[in-house]
Amino acid sequence: MKLPIAVLTLILAALTLALPSFAQNAFTPDQVKWGPAPPFIPAGAQLAVLEGNPMAASGDYTIRLKLPDGYRVAPHTHPNRENVTVLSGTLKVGMGDQFDASKMMSFGAGSFAYLDPSMHHYAAASGETVIQIHGMSPVKFNYINPADDPTPKN
């Protein structure tokens, strides 16, 4: 009886070692790799890709953005639903075509919101703020006022 268990254990161990390694699919906070945010959002934010390719033509993605205190994003929309969870700090969000700090609502850690493609919105960070965004690729910001788009012009 002990021999079959030992053989099974060896086979399982061999299979585990022979399997190809896969992309990381679970993260502790110290394993999140931060880098610069893409040029279509204002400079100063940091980005971490947790899942998928946010710039792909399609597919699921999960990203985190670390925003410094006072960071602002001008009024914009997205081509797909944006699902946002505030992990730390406070994200202020306003609706409309003009940035108006007096009309923004504050969302602290643990808050969640989803914004459909037709929703014109803008945001600001109060204190260093980390948000997690997930949805369907591609991530794209369509600024209401084209002059607000920080993408370098060629």
Side-chain angles (χ1 to χ4, degrees), residues 54-65:
M55 302 313 294
S58 65
D60 295 328
Y61 73 87
T62 304
I63 60 174
R64 287 188 182 172
L65 283 171

Side-chain angles (χ1 to χ4, degrees), residues 44 66-72 90 92 124-129:
K66 188 184 295 185
L67 313 172
D69 183 33
Y71 187 85
R72 292 171 47 146
T90 301
K92 294 183 174 187
S126 181
E128 182 179 83
T129 300

